[in-house]
């Protein structure tokens, strides 16, 4: 059984930074693609970033490219999302997820097998 627990959310002013963490239990973390998604009020959950486990390739949504960085420490079963130059439109609940794609990744929520409970990020203008 895999459990994911996000932390690090909070309230920050526009232009500020936050670092989200995702603590994972179980061995699956080391052989799965890690993804971060977000869901704003009244909107569907959307892809933010992904990191594959074989090549450690990273992928980002256009809206966060150049501002967010996804990383992981497999020895600690930890994933991270460094968010810089935050904008009010980044306000959302952020979720980490694990998916087994054989080294690839997906932007579809339905393709991921495990999800955390989410952490709220609020960016004030």
């Amino acid at each position: 059984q895999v459990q994911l627990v996000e932390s690090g959310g909070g309230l920050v002013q526009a232009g500020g930074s936050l670092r989200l963490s995702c603590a994972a239990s179980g061995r699956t973390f080391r052989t799965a693609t890690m993804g971060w998604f977000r869901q704003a009020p009244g909107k569907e959950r959307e892809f933010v970033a992904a990191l594959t486990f074989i090549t450690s390739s990273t992928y980002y949504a256009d809206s966060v490219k150049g501002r967010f960085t996804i990383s992981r420490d497999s020895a600690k079963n930890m994933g991270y999302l460094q968010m810089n130059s935050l904008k009010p439109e980044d306000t959302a609940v952020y979720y980490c997820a694990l998916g087994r794609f054989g080294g690839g990744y997906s932007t579809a929520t339905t393709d991921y097998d495990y999800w955390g409970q989410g952490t709220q990020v609020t960016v004030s203008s």
Side-chain angles (χ1 to χ4, degrees):
Q1 185 72 12
V2 175
Q3 288 188 323
L4 303 175
V5 179
E6 303 95 334
S7 61
L11 173 63
V12 64
Q13 289 188 330
S17 298
L18 281 175
R19 187 195 196 202
L20 305 183
S21 298
C22 176
S25 64
R27 299 178 182 178
T28 301
F29 181 82
R30 302 179 183 183
T31 58
T33 290
M34 180 180 69
W36 283 93
F37 290 76
R38 66 186 181 186
Q39 188 167 18
K43 295 188 177 181
E44 298 209 348
R45 194 170 298 188
E46 65 175 5
F47 171 79
V48 174
L51 174 61
T52 65
F53 78 93
I54 291 181
T55 60
S56 295
S57 298
T58 56
Y59 303 90
Y60 297 93
D62 288 342
S63 58
V64 306
K65 202 171 294 183
R67 300 187 297 123
F68 289 12
T69 302
I70 187 172
S71 63
R72 68 197 294 168
D73 184 336
S74 293
K76 297 181 179 179
N77 269 20
M78 292 292 296
Y80 305 99
L81 185 68
Q82 177 67 43
M83 306 186 295
N84 298 329
S85 302
L86 283 162
K87 305 175 181 179
E89 50 264 43
D90 294 319
T91 295
V93 177
Y94 283 72
Y95 300 88
C96 69
L98 296 182
R100 292 167 289 189
F101 306 114
Y105 83 107
S106 172
T107 62
T109 59
T110 52
D111 288 338
Y112 285 78
D113 303 298
Y114 305 100
W115 291 85
Q117 83 291 345
T119 185
Q120 176 70 47
V121 172
T122 304
V123 184
S124 63
S125 57

